[in-house]
Amino acid sequence: MRAMFKKSASAPDLLPGTLEMLILRTVSNGPEHGYGIAATLKRQSSEVLQVGEGSLYPALQRLLVNGLVKSEWKISGANRRARYYSITAAGRKQLVREAAQFERMVQAIRSVMQPA
Amino acid sequence: MLAWNRLVWKLKNGWRRSALQRELEEEMRFHVELLEQEQGQSGAARREFGNVGLLMEDSRSAWGWTWLEALFQDLRFAIRAFKRDWTSTAAAMLALALGTGLAIAIFTIVNAILLRPLPYREPDRLVMVWAVNRQLGWDQEKMSAPEMVEWERSGLFEGVVGFAPNMTAITGPGEPDLTHGYAVTPGWLRLLGAQPMLGRPFTENEERKGGDNKVLLLRHSFWMRRFGGDRNVIGQTILVQNESYRIVGVMGPEFQFFNRQTDLYLPTPFHPADIRSRNRGFRVIARLKPGISLDEAQARANTIASRFSHDFPDTNRGWTVNLTPVPLDTTGPVRPALWMLLASVGMVLLIACANVMNLLLAQGIARSRELALRVALGAGRARVLRQLLTESLLLAGASSALGYGMAHVAVRYFRSTLPQQFSFGRSLIQMERIEIDAWVAIFTAVVVPLTAVLIGLVPARKASRPDLTEAFRDGTRSAGVLGARRLQNLLVAAEIALSVILVIGAALLAQSFTRLYRQGPGFQPAGLKSMYISLPTFEYQIRNNDDWRRVTGPLWQGAMTTVAEVPGIESVAAVSHLPLAGFYYLTNLAIEGYEASRDNQPQAIDRYVSNSYHETMGVPLREGRYFNAFDRSGSLNVALVNEQFAKRYFPRVSPVGRRLRYPGNNNPYTIIGVTAGECAGGMDEEPKPMVYFSMNQAPWTFFHLIVKSGMDLDTTVRAVKQALHKISPKIAPYEIRSLDTMVLDSTWRVRYSMLLLIALAGVALVMAALGVWGVLRYTVGRRSKEIGIRIALGADRSSIAGMVLREGLSVACLGMLAGIAGACVQTRFLATLLYGVRAIEPMTFAAVCVFLLIVAVSACLGPALRAAGLAPVDALREE
């Protein structure tokens, strides 16, 4: 029963853990709030990666708890309070690690799928 | 690394839940607003946003420890469930607290007496070598010196040590004090395998004959009492009877030897090899040679003993030997009682668990709806099970904490009721150090979860697997509920059965105790006080027997007269050994004109008493006369005998006028009268044959002074002390006791068993009543609809009440029948404690059954009245 609600209708299935990696990459360029992160991901992936809020915010919380990002409430452009996430030193290290791992994974898949 | 971060974050923010939640909500609102801006004010934004609640939950799961949160949730539910039905919960908690508390208390006692090892090396290899004469009724008698030497040579033991009581008068420095000591033969501590806490054991030079014998080892309690725990006491000298003795060591607090009152140990001045007399003077303790089993040693000892009785018929005919392992020796008499206690504890704990299981079962029935709902909504069966087990653990934990507190109080109370008179309760020697120690804590830590699991398992299993459709249906007719009811009723019946057993046991013991106490010790203790006095003969120069007689006569007479003159003292007497105390000397006698047959060597307890003794003590006279003022030194030597002596050695004639003497001694004593029997040992034993000699004719210098006065103990003692100090300031009364207390203390075995069993029975009874009440309550609750219908259809209210009562009483009667059967079995364990009552007393059984019926009826009353008072409309509406 729970499974039915888990996936958001729009986003394709990501390999587990890649969402966190993507978020880290996004905020490594500079602080962003939740909406901004989702928008950036959508834009940079040419509308392929559409992350639902049901996945985004839990992932952000996990990153917070693990100390890979830190958050700060700032006044946004629309004169409202918003929470901005930025990467930490530990986050940067993790990003490097995960990126390397992801590359390895992709290479492996590619070599299997290689036409003979 | 990440784990560490997580821990830190959770610790920092785990408590800010509501704030975190608000922040998250704000964040969501912001996001939704931006979405709306992007896509226009339609509901699409909201819809696209998805399930907020689920999002919250997923986020929240990152914030804390899920297992911990689940646990807290379980606990909250548990507390809520308990609050909903707080009367039942309170009843269950009470039952469990009583049960576990009692279990812990009794285990503490049993642990102290039975389980804790003695402070010796390999205590199972140590044996007491007792002389036994079944026919004459002696079963823990001392050995004579020549016998002791023979045992040493027998090859059975790697060491043999004899010890004899030695009253030691400490005359300085400081307050004079009379202490109880043991004179021990060489090798004592080495045999035991114990070491002093301070100082050292006796050296060979100090132990050997003619060596530096004037040394002492102190017992810990005495060292604390007299020297205040001063560590410099080693090497100091104290004056014993004006002679210098050196303190060479102090034993540790856990050390004890043979009895509770000994204060110090010294090397014996009399060496067994030098003593010719075959009078029994030494208690003997020995260590079995390695490789020899107890049975083997006993068999070989029997052979040796029969050789003695062959070689020395005068003193040893009819005497055998008994090797008792030391751990059994002290605790032997109470062991069966203790095992029965442990069994009772087991039973009471089971009753408590049964009660609580009933409660949870009943709750399970009532909650089957709720639990079915949970399962339907997606809680796993494991989750429900965990919830229920958490409840039972919580209940068990809380109750046990309460019970632990109760146990603590109970143990402290118990320790304060230890017999004051040291001579009693040698078996209780371990109880002075009774405390709730590690073993008890382990016991508790094991018992509590065990009970929790026990009580929780059955109802939990039943409840976690509810047949969903059944549960939602009206439950009164479903098979599942009926099955549970049968189990419930069985449990209550079992509780009642166990209560019956315990209550009958307690009643029998109470009867025994009353009979024993009424039986009396053979004298009238009212107003009597006694103290042990040692006359300071060391202040005089005594070189020979004449000097001795010249000094002691007037000294003794002077002491007696001075005390008699004290205002408030009605009468004074003196005796060599107090009755009931169990200390006595057994002597061989030659009776003139009595044909000492092979199996009937005259042996009796000899007692020296002042002429006023029998009248002061109120011992009735059967024949002849008491001692009187005409019996003094120089006049005819007289003796009194008790009726047991008369019956044994003068079966058909009167002993008055006949003469007896000590064998080998030419001084005959004329028997002038026969008195009733006094108990030398316990009141439940038949008085042993006794011969009284007049102390006026042969003064003793160590004796018990008995005074009859109307004043309280302290005032009396002070007055006596003052009077005695006129004779000599060095006189210190010792072993001060009121004979009333002594008589009460002598019943300690029956009394303690009775008290403990009453406690157990009381607890069991309370719990059985709670059980009946609880079960009926739920039955009425479950059947309220049916009852409502019945009343609406015209049933008489009293018949409704009767219906409930009948159900309750049928269970109770079933339980009682089982209980009576069980009570007949428990007799085996009670046998050693009962006195004057049979183990199966029909009157007692009947009375107990009636009592329990009354209890059962009163427990049924509440629910029955409630059932009868149901308004049909409410009952039918109740769902």
Side-chain angles (χ1 to χ4, degrees):
Chain A
M1 234 179 2
R2 283 166 64 92
M4 271 169 26
F5 291 104
K6 205 158 188 131
K7 282 200 298 234
S8 124
S10 41
D13 285 2
L14 286 172
L15 288 173
T18 49
L19 177 55
E20 269 113 7
M21 184 182 71
L22 292 169
I23 296 176
L24 281 176
R25 183 67 185 86
T26 313
V27 298
S28 70
N29 289 332
E32 264 295 2
H33 53 60
Y35 181 84
I37 294 173
T40 309
L41 282 174
K42 198 160 134 188
R43 198 180 59 243
Q44 287 196 326
S45 67
S46 313
E47 312 266 319
V48 175
L49 297 176
Q50 297 189 23
V51 186
E53 299 71 21
S55 320
L56 177 65
Y57 284 99
L60 281 170
Q61 290 297 316
R62 280 196 294 276
L63 286 171
L64 258 181
V65 173
N66 279 319
L68 300 171
V69 303
K70 56 182 193 283
S71 70
E72 213 180 273
W73 287 92
K74 289 216 260 259
I75 311 287
S76 88
N79 209 20
R80 301 287 311 278
R81 219 163 77 106
R83 189 190 235 166
Y84 282 80
Y85 295 88
S86 47
I87 198 169
T88 62
R92 285 193 201 280
K93 279 197 232 149
Q94 182 79 357
L95 178 58
V96 169
R97 254 200 306 271
E98 288 201 11
Q101 214 168 316
F102 182 76
E103 269 311 316
R104 266 201 305 277
M105 184 64 81
V106 167
Q107 282 292 359
I109 296 177
R110 272 221 190 98
S111 25
V112 169
M113 298 299 289
Q114 202 71 275
Chain B
M1 186 54 205
L2 287 184
W4 174 252
N5 287 344
R6 273 204 299 275
L7 182 68
V8 171
W9 191 94
K10 284 182 188 181
L11 286 176
K12 271 207 283 201
N13 294 291
W15 53 275
R16 288 181 54 237
R17 275 313 169 78
S18 40
L20 288 175
Q21 196 144 327
R22 265 180 284 125
E23 289 181 351
L24 198 56
E25 281 168 9
E26 195 176 336
E27 212 172 341
M28 303 296 179
R29 276 200 301 275
F30 180 74
H31 194 123
V32 169
E33 277 179 19
L34 288 184
L35 268 180
E36 283 178 347
Q37 275 179 16
E38 181 192 320
Q39 298 180 6
Q41 277 278 9
S42 62
R46 286 253 145 82
R47 258 180 282 125
E48 204 183 290
F49 199 70
N51 186 335
V52 178
L54 206 54
L55 197 158
M56 287 291 193
E57 197 172 310
D58 281 342
S59 308
R60 269 206 299 267
S61 70
W63 289 344
W65 291 283
T66 27
W67 60 267
L68 195 65
E69 300 191 358
L71 181 67
F72 277 134
Q73 193 177 46
D74 284 343
L75 286 175
R76 271 206 309 276
F77 286 159
I79 295 179
R80 241 208 318 251
F82 288 147
K83 269 213 283 225
R84 231 181 303 148
D85 190 6
W86 65 271
T87 42
S88 266
T89 312
M93 264 192 76
L94 178 68
L96 212 51
L98 281 177
T100 48
L102 208 58
I104 295 172
I106 291 187
F107 183 78
T108 311
I109 294 170
V110 172
N111 177 40
I113 298 180
L114 275 188
L115 302 177
R116 236 199 326 231
L118 293 171
Y120 315 134
R121 175 175 60 91
E122 283 178 64
D124 305 313
R125 301 295 295 168
L126 285 172
V127 290
M128 293 294 295
V129 185
W130 291 118
V132 176
N133 188 323
R134 281 278 133 72
Q135 226 197 3
L136 293 180
W138 310 113
D139 55 39
Q140 278 192 343
E141 256 311 309
K142 312 183 194 64
M143 289 285 173
S144 65
E147 280 173 320
M148 215 187 103
V149 173
E150 282 296 319
W151 288 117
E152 272 177 315
R153 293 207 208 119
S154 68
L156 286 176
F157 308 113
E158 73 179 36
V160 172
V161 165
F163 53 99
N166 186 324
M167 295 307 295
T168 321
I170 299 188
T171 46
E175 271 275 316
D177 209 350
L178 191 57
T179 61
H180 187 280
Y182 265 133
V184 295
T185 62
W188 171 66
L189 272 189
R190 205 165 32 248
L191 184 88
L192 293 179
Q195 281 295 317
M197 177 183 80
L198 293 177
R200 54 161 179 81
F202 300 135
T203 62
E204 245 191 82
N205 184 37
E206 286 160 350
E207 286 180 325
R208 71 180 170 85
K209 174 171 171 201
D212 181 14
N213 297 130
K214 299 205 184 339
V215 286
L216 299 171
L217 273 170
L218 304 183
R219 189 156 164 227
H220 191 265
S221 48
F222 178 64
W223 174 60
M224 292 301 292
R225 200 176 70 227
R226 186 170 175 97
F227 299 97
D230 179 16
R231 298 184 89 89
N232 294 322
V233 85
I234 309 291
Q236 275 186 29
T237 51
I238 60 176
L239 292 176
V240 173
Q241 277 145 218
N242 280 356
E243 291 180 9
S244 275
Y245 275 68
R246 213 166 9 104
I247 300 174
V248 298
V250 178
M251 304 305 295
E254 75 295 337
F255 182 80
Q256 29 105 322
F257 181 69
F258 196 72
N259 66 18
R260 291 167 61 195
Q261 74 251 47
T262 312
D263 292 319
L264 44 82
Y265 309 95
L266 59 156
T268 176
F270 307 115
H271 285 252
D274 299 334
I275 301 179
R276 294 275 162 263
S277 154
R278 296 194 74 87
N279 275 340
R280 301 178 175 282
F282 285 104
R283 293 197 168 97
V284 178
I285 184 173
R287 186 177 281 277
L288 290 174
K289 251 204 186 112
I292 300 189
S293 75
L294 181 66
D295 294 324
E296 201 189 316
Q298 178 71 55
R300 281 164 64 176
N302 287 340
T303 326
I304 298 177
S306 54
R307 183 163 52 85
F308 282 166
S309 82
H310 184 263
D311 293 342
F312 301 99
D314 294 333
T315 50
N316 281 74
R317 174 128 275 136
W319 286 89
T320 54
V321 73
N322 186 8
L323 301 180
T324 314
V326 167
L328 247 97
D329 179 65
T330 32
T331 60
V334 295
R335 257 160 210 253
L338 285 178
W339 291 128
M340 197 189 82
L341 257 187
L342 267 185
S344 320
V345 162
M347 291 203 290
V348 168
L349 257 184
L350 280 179
I351 293 181
C353 290
N355 245 339
V356 183
M357 192 166 5
N358 259 341
L359 159 75
L360 291 184
L361 257 182
Q363 275 193 345
I365 296 174
R367 288 169 68 189
S368 56
R369 279 282 196 73
E370 170 204 336
L371 294 171
L373 205 63
R374 289 209 193 178
V375 171
L377 282 179
R381 187 164 150 245
R383 186 76 176 78
V384 172
L385 205 72
R386 205 178 70 201
Q387 163 74 31
L388 292 172
L389 279 179
T390 311
E391 281 179 20
S392 51
L393 249 166
L394 179 66
L395 190 62
S399 313
S400 305
L402 191 62
Y404 193 85
M406 286 165 48
H408 198 78
V409 170
V411 166
R412 213 141 36 119
Y413 169 73
F414 192 71
R415 193 168 25 181
S416 74
T417 63
L418 280 183
Q420 297 168 3
Q421 308 308 335
F422 291 149
S423 43
F424 299 118
R426 194 159 73 81
S427 310
L428 303 178
I429 192 171
Q430 295 267 47
M431 286 234 281
E432 309 207 316
R433 290 195 306 121
I434 215 172
E435 59 216 351
I436 301 192
D437 69 358
W439 276 114
V440 179
I442 292 177
F443 172 78
T444 319
V446 163
V447 156
V448 170
L450 220 64
T451 48
V453 167
L454 208 72
I455 62 184
L457 212 54
V458 171
R461 254 189 92 246
K462 261 188 153 36
S464 70
R465 222 195 333 205
D467 186 347
L468 294 185
T469 45
E470 288 280 358
F472 283 112
R473 225 194 294 158
D474 171 20
T476 55
R477 279 185 305 279
S478 61
V481 176
L482 217 53
R485 247 183 64 199
R486 217 169 292 148
L487 187 61
Q488 273 190 332
N489 287 345
L490 207 66
L491 286 174
V492 174
E495 286 180 10
I496 295 192
L498 292 171
S499 308
V500 167
I501 296 178
L502 289 174
V503 172
I504 286 183
L508 287 175
L509 280 178
Q511 280 184 298
S512 299
F513 174 68
T514 333
R515 297 247 168 112
L516 192 65
Y517 199 60
R518 256 189 295 168
Q519 159 84 8
F523 59 89
Q524 308 297 320
L528 291 179
K529 293 125 177 106
S530 87
M531 58 206 90
Y532 202 72
I533 302 282
S534 139
L535 295 177
T537 50
F538 46 82
E539 288 182 342
Y540 301 83
Q541 233 202 3
I542 298 180
R543 287 156 305 191
N544 50 41
N545 266 344
D546 285 327
D547 282 345
W548 175 262
R549 248 177 287 134
R550 198 172 36 83
V551 167
T552 55
L555 193 56
W556 186 87
Q557 198 59 58
M560 299 295 287
T561 325
T562 319
V563 176
E565 284 168 357
V566 174
I569 305 271
E570 293 158 29
S571 62
V572 184
V575 67
S576 55
H577 307 89
L578 284 177
L580 277 188
F583 285 154
Y584 45 80
Y585 286 117
L586 184 58
T587 19
N588 308 309
L589 296 165
I591 303 176
E592 238 173 52
Y594 178 80
E595 275 307 315
S597 69
R598 298 162 59 88
D599 296 317
N600 217 358
Q601 287 297 329
Q603 276 175 332
I605 299 177
D606 62 340
R607 215 139 266 180
Y608 282 79
V609 298
S610 66
N611 291 349
S612 49
Y613 175 79
H614 291 92
E615 282 148 309
T616 309
M617 296 284 275
V619 180
L621 183 70
R622 299 283 187 234
E623 252 192 85
R625 65 168 178 87
Y626 287 133
F627 293 139
N628 59 34
F630 293 110
D631 302 309
R632 12 167 239 273
S633 146
S635 63
L636 178 70
N637 284 335
V638 289
L640 280 170
V641 299
N642 68 359
E643 44 189 359
Q644 281 74 19
F645 184 94
K647 202 164 19 158
R648 188 178 284 187
Y649 299 115
F650 296 92
R652 276 170 298 275
V653 295
S654 163
V656 178
R658 306 289 287 272
R659 305 199 300 176
L660 47 75
R661 58 189 164 77
Y662 288 107
N665 191 314
N666 257 324
N667 252 332
Y669 291 82
T670 311
I671 301 176
I672 54 158
V674 180
T675 67
E678 274 185 302
C679 299
M683 291 198 289
D684 52 345
E685 299 166 9
E686 173 81 12
K688 308 229 198 302
M690 220 186 281
V691 179
Y692 299 93
F693 298 103
S694 164
M695 232 196 247
N696 294 55
Q697 294 187 325
W700 277 45
T701 51
F702 281 54
F703 57 88
H704 292 270
L705 183 72
I706 301 181
V707 298
K708 187 164 181 159
S709 81
M711 309 180 277
D712 67 67
L713 187 61
D714 288 326
T715 325
T716 312
V717 172
R718 245 178 301 137
V720 169
K721 221 166 147 173
Q722 244 184 346
L724 286 175
H725 280 185
K726 287 192 230 149
I727 310 263
S728 157
K730 293 273 162 97
I731 299 185
Y734 173 72
E735 264 189 49
I736 297 166
R737 47 181 106 190
S738 127
L739 293 191
D740 269 325
T741 320
M742 184 174 80
V743 169
L744 185 64
D745 281 348
S746 74
T747 60
W748 66 273
R749 269 181 67 209
V750 180
R751 191 157 53 100
Y752 272 147
S753 321
M754 176 187 76
L755 286 176
L756 286 169
L757 211 54
I758 286 180
L760 279 176
V763 167
L765 210 55
V766 167
M767 296 206 281
L770 286 176
V772 170
W773 172 81
V775 160
L776 277 185
R777 219 166 139 260
Y778 270 100
T779 313
V780 167
R782 285 311 300 162
R783 293 172 67 183
S784 53
K785 209 152 118 185
E786 171 199 337
I787 295 175
I789 293 175
R790 284 195 194 214
I791 296 180
L793 287 180
D796 196 7
R797 285 187 190 265
S798 55
S799 76
I800 300 289
M803 182 179 79
V804 176
L805 261 174
R806 254 200 316 278
E807 175 163 346
L809 285 182
S810 60
V811 170
C813 287
L814 179 67
M816 269 195 267
L817 283 172
I820 292 181
C824 297
V825 171
Q826 98 174 322
T827 62
R828 201 160 75 87
F829 299 95
L830 281 184
T832 52
L833 295 167
L834 293 180
Y835 179 77
V837 293
R838 284 166 299 172
I840 303 184
E841 284 267 354
M843 285 298 288
T844 316
F845 278 41
V848 168
C849 286
V850 168
F851 175 60
L852 254 115
L853 259 172
I854 296 177
V855 169
V857 167
S858 11
C860 296
L861 226 50
L865 288 177
R866 181 160 166 261
L870 273 181
V873 182
D874 294 331
L876 288 168
R877 216 188 319 188
E878 195 176 288
E879 251 321 59

